[in-house]
Amino acid sequence: MQPTSVSSTTGGAQIVALAPLRPDLCERAWQTVPHPSLPLVATVHGKGVTVFSLATLFSHSSLTGGHTRSVRSAAWKPNLPPHKLCLVSGSFDATAGVWRWDGDQAGGEGDGTALEREVTSANVRNGGNDDDDDDDQDSNAGEDKEWEFTLVLEGHDSEIKSCAFSPSGAHLATCSRDKSVWIWEDIGASEEDDEWETIAVLNEHEGDVKAVAWCPDLPGRNARRRYSPDVLASASYDNTVRVWREDNDGEWVCVAVLEGHEQTVWGVQWESRPRAGDRFPRLLSYSADATIRVWTLKEDDEGDEGGEQGGRSALGGIPNTMRRSLREEWMCSAVLPAAHHRDVYAAAWSAQSGVVVSTGSDGKIVLYREDLEEEQVPTSAAATTELGADQPMANAGAATEGDEPMAVQQPTAALPGSARWKIIGTKENAHGPYEVNHVIWCKRYDGGASARGEEEILITTGDNGIVQPWEVILDKQ
């Protein structure tokens, strides 16, 4: 398989098409989101969502009738019992819908068995043998089970472009054409209560906010002690990425503005694989300028506020009224090798291999791998300068509470990390002549898996309405 940039190629990888998920959606599909623990994915298209089983490769169920305009995003709520499902859909009707499925009614044992039975019945429903009475009985049982549209979250003034749950499931972020990011909290006493409240409205972007993403719960995430663990990133039509955190007073604040893209930033994805030394996860951003950037948090050598917890100093627990500004220094540490000639609509980081995949308007799937042996970690400001790494803006260290958060921008040639990334495989025309709107890594559960629920595959979603799984065969590095 010929890569786009021969000079930036090492090793090799094969991208092999598997059987597409059935049935075809027969209309433009925007995004496919894997369930965090079950063999299910949710694909948004039209005014609804179709849930597919990764075990049977057929549709499991459909979510329709909750929205009056196109649905463009969906998010699974994590950390629920395996027989219960909760999904939020974000729509151009300016609302987010909360949907629930309760497998208890199917007589489950609390271990997901009931849900697996529903997945199987969905397969029978779409392609089973009508002459088999038992299959007909299972099919009817499945058809009686439907999603419940339990709540509408209202507040945005315009189209919702993206939604995402925090790792704990306690917070939901939505973003919109109205240039705002909203953070919602589930305050219900139980899952059945469905009580949500708005805890923050973030209005600092200067253009439509295209996407939001929460930092995954990795070991390096919780080192920044002057904040809560949750970290949110947002991408915007104003060509920037913003990083948000909750401070010790419970206020959500912008701690960094990441500048460097020359056109709309279509989305962001956090690194999902733990880093050596439990360093903070990096962030990917991808843009209409056909580039993909890697952003790295500059962490304090002595540890972040090693003696300070909850806004108090180490001196007798006296409140520290002179605490440092709630700002972070993020640097663009790499620009991935040029591969796309049009907008990059999606990119994702593998939790297993660390391989990055991207796709976009040119219909191409591209794989990139980082040579970790070449990675060097500067241990001081002097070392950072010596390596020719990114330099912060002048007077950045003197930021105060009222200042604009750190904004860092460097020329691509000054980024030594770029040389570590190589293209290892490409797939041209992945959906024929159609644009590919989304790509994501997920676990494989079908009969062709050598280790069910352990090995990874790719799933792409395109304008042709096909939800296409791909096997990725990596050469040993």
Side-chain angles (χ1 to χ4, degrees):
M1 190 169 298
Q2 295 298 318
T4 300
S5 176
V6 176
S7 62
S8 300
T9 303
T10 185
Q14 300 179 56
I15 306 172
V16 181
L18 302 173
L21 304 186
R22 298 296 185 191
D24 297 350
L25 300 175
C26 300
E27 64 180 342
R28 180 177 296 169
W30 298 103
Q31 179 190 46
T32 296
V33 184
H35 189 279
S37 58
L38 295 170
L40 298 172
V41 294
T43 299
V44 298
H45 61 101
K47 297 178 182 178
V49 181
T50 294
V51 177
F52 292 97
S53 163
L54 292 177
T56 66
L57 306 182
F58 278 85
S59 65
H60 164 271
S61 51
S62 296
L63 292 69
T64 58
H67 294 286
T68 59
R69 293 186 63 191
S70 173
V71 174
R72 293 299 179 92
S73 63
W76 295 98
K77 187 174 186 182
N79 302 320
L80 296 181
H83 61 282
K84 292 181 180 291
L85 301 175
C86 176
L87 185 137
V88 169
S89 54
S91 170
F92 272 22
D93 65 11
T95 70
V98 181
W99 305 77
R100 293 192 181 273
W101 170 294
D102 191 344
D104 280 342
Q105 298 178 16
E109 292 80 9
D111 59 356
T113 305
L115 184 58
E116 290 286 355
R117 189 177 301 122
E118 293 291 349
V119 168
T120 303
S121 71
N123 186 23
V124 172
R125 202 157 58 238
N126 286 281
N129 184 352
D130 291 338
D131 295 331
D132 191 321
D133 292 339
D134 292 336
D135 283 354
D136 287 343
Q137 183 175 358
D138 287 343
S139 176
N140 292 334
E143 287 177 344
D144 290 338
K145 192 74 184 69
E146 295 182 353
W147 286 84
E148 182 181 1
F149 190 56
T150 60
L151 188 66
V152 176
L153 300 178
E154 297 179 298
H156 282 290
D157 294 331
S158 189
E159 297 101 321
I160 290 181
K161 300 292 185 74
S162 175
C163 57
F165 273 104
S166 64
S168 67
H171 294 143
L172 172 74
T174 58
C175 64
S176 168
R177 186 180 178 183
D178 64 14
K179 305 179 184 180
S180 72
V181 176
W182 287 48
I183 300 178
W184 313 76
E185 183 176 14
D186 185 354
I187 61 172
S190 67
E191 283 298 321
E192 289 72 21
D193 287 346
D194 262 332
E195 292 186 37
W196 298 69
E197 70 175 5
T198 307
I199 61 172
V201 177
L202 312 174
N203 291 305
E204 296 187 30
H205 275 295
E206 297 177 358
D208 303 10
V209 187
K210 176 60 182 174
V212 286
W214 295 91
C215 181
D217 188 5
L218 298 177
R221 184 193 70 159
N222 303 320
R224 309 289 286 179
R225 297 181 185 174
R226 66 179 184 268
Y227 304 105
S228 68
D230 282 334
V231 189
L232 180 68
S234 57
S236 172
Y237 284 73
D238 64 13
N239 305 350
T240 72
V241 173
R242 286 181 178 261
V243 181
W244 311 85
R245 287 181 177 269
E246 185 181 18
D247 66 16
N248 289 326
D249 297 323
E251 297 292 329
W252 283 86
V253 294
C254 179
V255 297
V257 181
L258 313 185
E259 297 180 310
H261 285 292
E262 297 177 356
Q263 297 184 48
T264 296
V265 184
W266 286 112
V268 284
Q269 279 282 330
W270 290 93
E271 185 174 19
S272 53
R273 187 187 193 194
R275 300 180 68 196
D278 287 345
R279 284 173 291 163
F280 198 85
R282 293 173 291 180
L283 185 64
L284 280 178
S285 60
Y286 38 93
S287 168
D289 65 13
T291 68
I292 303 169
R293 289 178 173 259
V294 180
W295 303 88
T296 304
L297 173 65
K298 184 177 179 182
E299 302 180 70
D300 297 334
D301 295 337
E302 68 276 10
D304 192 351
E305 273 66 62
E308 182 181 336
Q309 301 235 15
R312 290 179 170 266
S313 71
L315 302 175
I318 300 173
N320 183 2
T321 58
M322 300 296 291
R323 64 177 179 165
R324 291 173 50 189
S325 171
L326 299 183
R327 306 305 187 204
E328 294 183 339
E329 183 181 330
W330 284 78
M331 299 174 292
C332 182
S333 54
V335 176
L336 271 55
H340 295 280
H341 61 274
R342 295 168 65 182
D343 298 40
V344 181
Y345 288 151
W349 223 313
S350 166
Q352 289 186 356
S353 65
V355 170
V356 168
V357 62
S358 65
T359 193
S361 179
D362 57 11
K364 186 186 304 182
I365 302 173
V366 184
L367 298 175
Y368 315 79
R369 182 158 54 193
E370 183 181 23
D371 187 350
L372 296 177
E373 293 182 358
E374 295 184 12
E375 185 171 9
Q376 302 181 50
V377 182
T379 56
S380 67
T384 302
T385 303
E386 183 178 346
L387 285 172
D390 310 315
Q391 300 301 309
M393 295 176 63
N395 300 322
T400 63
E401 292 290 342
D403 290 341
E404 179 72 3
M406 177 74 67
V408 178
Q409 182 176 2
Q410 297 84 21
T412 302
L415 306 178
S418 300
R420 293 196 298 266
W421 288 92
K422 311 294 182 183
I423 296 173
I424 60 172
T426 61
K427 180 68 176 180
E428 304 278 351
N429 302 316
H431 284 239
Y434 296 93
E435 292 188 350
V436 183
N437 296 315
H438 190 255
V439 64
I440 194 68
W441 295 94
C442 68
K443 299 298 179 65
R444 186 175 184 181
Y445 292 91
D446 66 279
S450 58
R452 188 174 183 266
E454 296 182 12
E455 60 186 277
E456 281 187 319
I457 59 173
L458 293 173
I459 291 184
T460 54
T461 311
D463 278 0
N464 59 349
I466 301 294
V467 183
Q468 178 66 58
W470 305 84
E471 181 181 9
V472 177
I473 305 172
L474 298 173
D475 289 350
K476 292 185 179 179
Q477 192 170 10

